[in-house]
Amino acid sequence: MNRAFSAALLMVSVLASLHHTFAQQFRLDTLAQSPGVALPVAMAFVPGQGGSFFFTEKNSGKVKLFADGAVREKPFLALSVATIGEQGLLGVALHPRYPDSPFVY
C-alpha cells in the first residue's frame, strides 16, 4: 500500500511540474471574438512562419491570414459560397511545400 501511494504521489508531482513547465510556453487567444472575424471554422498553419495561419470564414467565403499577432485587414481570397444549413467555406489547406509552392486549397 505504501509503495502504491508513493508511486502515485511521485506521478502527481511529476505531472504538476510538467504542467507548470509547458503552461508557460503558450498563450490563449480567441479568434472568434476578434473584430472583423465572422464564424472562423478552419485553419492551416504556415510552416516556418512563427504562428502565422490562414483561416476561413464560413458564411463570408473569405480566407484570411493571421500574421505578426493580428488578422490582416485585406482577405487573402474571397469566394462566393452557399450558406444554407451546413454549407459554406469549411476548409483550407496549404501545399506541403508552401511558400515555395504557393498554393492554398
Side-chain angles (χ1 to χ4, degrees):
M1 177 83 166
N2 287 338
R3 191 176 276 174
F5 179 74
S6 296
L9 186 58
L10 177 64
M11 182 65 81
V12 168
S13 298
V14 168
L15 290 175
S17 67
L18 286 176
H19 171 71
H20 179 70
T21 301
F22 291 118
Q24 301 304 316
Q25 297 177 13
F26 302 98
R27 187 180 97 210
L28 177 65
D29 283 330
T30 306
L31 181 64
Q33 294 178 348
S34 297
V37 176
L39 295 171
V41 294
M43 55 196 298
F45 284 92
V46 179
Q49 296 293 318
S52 296
F53 58 89
F54 288 93
F55 67 95
T56 62
E57 290 183 338
K58 179 185 179 294
N59 291 342
S60 73
K62 294 177 182 173
V63 177
K64 293 185 175 181
L65 177 62
F66 179 91
D68 302 321
V71 176
R72 296 279 169 91
E73 195 171 313
K74 183 179 177 185
F76 176 80
L77 176 68
L79 303 168
S80 176
V81 295
T83 59
I84 298 168
E86 295 182 13
Q87 298 177 14
L89 187 56
L90 302 176
V92 64
L94 303 179
H95 189 282
R97 289 188 294 274
Y98 187 93
D100 294 331
S101 295
F103 299 103
V104 178
Y105 306 98

